[in-house]
């Protein structure tokens, strides 16, 4: 039997005037989604926040599941609550597929 190790999850935060950029690496799922939500929430509520944009950079994302999607919705809601716009950047195919599946509408 082969032991498969999930890709390590990591977030890296960059701040510039008015912009919070969070680079997401690895698998965003049940075990890691709270980590993303918590990091963003801490930075959105910082005293000096004054953010107009929150950018999530997914160039190193390897997987996302429904828990990861829930985390994105949470981040969107929290960003909106402080008047910031959420941007999803460098979206890999796995994220694009998840977004398409969740926004598709049936004909009936």
């Amino acid at each position: 039997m082969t032991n498969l190790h999930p890709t390590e999850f990591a977030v890296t935060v960059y701040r510039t005037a008015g912009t919070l950029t969070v680079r997401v690496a690895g698998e965003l799922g049940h075990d890691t989604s709270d980590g993303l939500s918590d990091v963003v929430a801490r930075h959105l509520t910082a005293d000096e926040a004054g953010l107009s944009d929150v950018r999530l950079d997914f160039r190193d994302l390897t997987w996302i599941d429904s828990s990861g999607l829930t985390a994105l919705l949470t981040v969107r809601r929290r960003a909106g609550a402080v008047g910031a716009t959420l941007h999803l950047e460098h979206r890999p195919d796995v994220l694009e597929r998840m977004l398409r599946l969740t926004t598709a509408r049936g004909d009936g």
Side-chain angles (χ1 to χ4, degrees):
M1 176 182 229
T2 303
N3 289 329
L4 299 176
H5 300 286
T7 304
E8 187 173 335
F9 176 76
V11 294
T12 307
V13 178
Y14 305 94
R15 297 228 15 196
T16 59
T19 301
L20 172 69
T21 301
V22 180
R23 191 167 181 177
V24 181
E27 297 182 0
L28 182 58
H30 176 69
D31 295 333
T32 58
S33 58
D34 286 344
L36 175 62
S37 299
D38 293 346
V39 164
V40 173
R42 271 196 314 271
H43 285 276
L44 288 175
T45 58
D47 291 338
E48 74 284 351
L51 297 170
S52 58
D53 293 290
V54 175
R55 299 183 181 281
L56 299 182
D57 181 338
F58 293 106
R59 74 183 72 217
D60 296 321
L61 182 75
T62 58
W63 183 252
I64 184 169
D65 67 10
S66 60
S67 296
L69 185 62
T70 298
L72 298 184
L73 293 170
T74 298
V75 168
R76 179 178 181 224
R77 187 180 70 247
R78 289 179 175 168
V82 299
T85 302
L86 177 63
H87 306 272
L88 306 180
E89 299 179 337
H90 306 286
R91 302 187 305 211
D93 289 342
V94 67
L95 177 55
E96 286 292 338
R97 277 192 303 276
M98 179 66 78
L99 294 172
R100 271 196 312 275
L101 286 172
T102 58
T103 59
R105 295 180 184 223
D107 291 333

